[in-house]
Amino acid sequence: MAAPDPAAAARDGIRCMLMRGGTSKGAYFLAADLPDDPAERDDLLLRIMGSPDPRQIDGIGGAHPLTSKVAIVSPSTADGIDVDYLFLQVGVDAATVADAQTCGNLLAGIGPFAVERGLVPATGERTTVRIRLLNTGDTATAVFATADGRPDYDGDAAIDGVPGTASAIELEVGGGPEKPLLPTGSATDEIDGHTVTLIDNGMPVALLRADEFGVDGSEPPAALEGDAELAARIDRIRLAAGPLMGLGDVAPQTVPKMILLSPARHGGAISTRAFIPARVHTAIGVLMAASVAAALRIPGAVGSGLAGPLDGDETEIEHPTGSSRSHVHVSRDGDGTWRATSSTMRTARKLFDGTVFPRPRR
């Protein structure tokens, strides 16, 4: 479609649904309601979210990376796929819109949103939606409750980091045979004097031992964010890891995620603190957890020696506000290539559905 005229968009608005997906929150759009040109689209989204501004006071962003997210959904032309999902991370205090990663938390809302917008019909009490993740090329299957032809958001499922309960959404994500789990082919690499595991089980992450950085891994996010020297050391590794993972120059991007690992303290398999990258996640992303869980099952990978006993394919990943359960199946091809698929339970909820009004200009 043609790019909305700034004055017309500000006057007439853009159709938008705000949803909580997992432990994140974002604005969901149909691709047809946004400009085709990426630069025009990004400019519009910055004006909708209220960026750049640390408070995002003149937009609908929540002044934190976990609440400054956008999901764009369209019917898919791929065989066996219902909808395509493009994730965009909108900067809070910077005028940036990054597309190098996907978001497993907002992924939880894609199936319900597709039903809400009439892209996929509800099928009785349970509906299945097949999703292509355009950022990464992965595919996902979402299974969730529906009633009277609409998503049913009420239920008894609880996830740490989200108050109350909601209806469970089962997510299964797989990278396909052409996507190796270890982008460099090695269980560990040396970067800036540290042993690092670079792994991508739906989310590119770099795994590090917390004790190598003078922390024990139990610190609250605010304490880690306030340590400028620590943040600089970790970001140096991130910038070097990007090209090794095939991501190119990641200076303007939000990947790879940098995760400090330490022994579990509350009965889980491992404890995590995830830099995303400037802020520290108050929980952990779905696909970040899946990447951590996969690494624990690879001999010699960072974290494999710290992990408690692993119970089959299920892994409990501890994070600052509780824990997240991730189910991963890891296998190794005859040529030594590691691969993985993952599944997890999330919840999502529609917060509002209507028209959002971007400011006329940035």
Side-chain angles (χ1 to χ4, degrees):
M1 62 175 283
D5 174 74
R11 181 184 66 245
D12 301 328
I14 304 290
R15 186 165 57 157
C16 173
M17 184 179 292
L18 190 69
M19 300 186 76
R20 176 189 60 77
T23 55
S24 294
K25 183 166 60 177
Y28 288 65
F29 297 91
L30 289 177
D33 291 332
L34 297 174
D36 291 329
D37 180 74
E40 295 172 350
R41 176 202 67 203
D42 292 353
D43 179 76
L44 176 65
L45 294 175
L46 288 165
R47 291 186 282 119
I48 287 173
M49 301 302 283
S51 301
D53 172 31
R55 299 176 300 160
Q56 292 181 317
I57 196 66
D58 203 28
I60 64 171
H64 191 283
L66 298 182
T67 56
S68 187
K69 298 183 173 188
V70 169
I72 300 176
V73 183
S74 58
S76 183
T77 58
D79 291 341
I81 301 295
D82 297 306
V83 296
D84 290 341
Y85 156 47
L86 177 68
F87 170 73
L88 297 173
Q89 179 70 61
V90 179
V92 176
D93 54 359
T96 58
V97 181
D99 64 358
Q101 68 167 85
T102 191
C103 176
N105 276 306
L106 287 200
L107 174 62
I110 297 299
F113 177 77
V115 171
E116 294 270 13
R117 286 289 186 258
L119 301 183
V120 179
T123 54
E125 295 182 353
R126 303 287 287 174
T127 296
T128 298
V129 176
R130 289 279 291 161
I131 304 161
R132 178 168 61 171
L133 285 60
L134 294 180
N135 305 78
T136 63
D138 295 329
T139 59
T141 301
V143 182
F144 51 96
T146 47
D148 300 323
R150 303 174 64 182
D152 183 0
Y153 299 104
D154 188 21
D156 298 323
I159 57 175
D160 287 336
V162 177
T165 63
S167 181
I169 298 171
E170 300 297 331
L171 296 173
E172 183 174 326
V173 181
E178 72 288 347
K179 185 176 180 182
L181 185 61
L182 301 172
T184 68
S186 300
T188 60
D189 294 275
E190 294 296 319
I191 302 177
D192 201 30
H194 293 278
T195 301
V196 185
T197 289
L198 305 177
I199 188 166
D200 184 354
N201 190 21
M203 176 66 72
V205 304
L207 304 180
L208 304 155
R209 288 183 60 116
D211 57 11
E212 289 190 11
F213 293 84
V215 297
D216 69 11
S218 66
E219 295 82 358
L224 297 174
E225 291 173 356
D227 188 335
E229 181 182 355
L230 172 65
R233 292 172 66 192
I234 289 177
D235 205 52
R236 281 199 305 271
I237 297 172
R238 185 182 75 87
L239 295 176
L244 294 176
M245 301 186 77
L247 301 171
D249 179 10
V250 295
Q253 300 291 346
T254 56
V255 288
K257 307 301 186 187
M258 309 299 292
I259 302 182
L260 300 182
L261 301 181
S262 61
R265 295 165 174 81
H266 304 290
I270 199 80
S271 179
T272 61
R273 293 296 185 269
F275 287 72
I276 58 173
R279 303 293 296 271
V280 176
H281 208 305
T282 54
I284 189 170
V286 174
L287 299 177
M288 290 184 233
S291 291
V292 171
L296 300 185
R297 289 165 168 77
I298 298 177
V302 173
S304 61
L306 297 174
L310 301 176
D311 182 16
D313 290 345
E314 184 173 280
T315 312
E316 186 171 353
I317 309 293
E318 296 181 2
H319 55 71
T321 53
S323 65
S324 176
R325 290 186 181 275
S326 184
H327 297 258
V328 299
H329 177 71
V330 176
S331 61
R332 197 175 193 185
D333 295 347
D335 64 1
T337 301
W338 290 93
R339 304 192 187 279
T341 58
S342 65
S343 62
T344 189
M345 186 278 290
R346 294 277 91 182
T347 65
R349 192 171 75 84
K350 177 172 64 173
L351 304 179
F352 79 67
D353 185 11
T355 304
V356 64
F357 293 87
R359 62 176 185 251
R361 61 178 67 88
R362 283 200 284 120

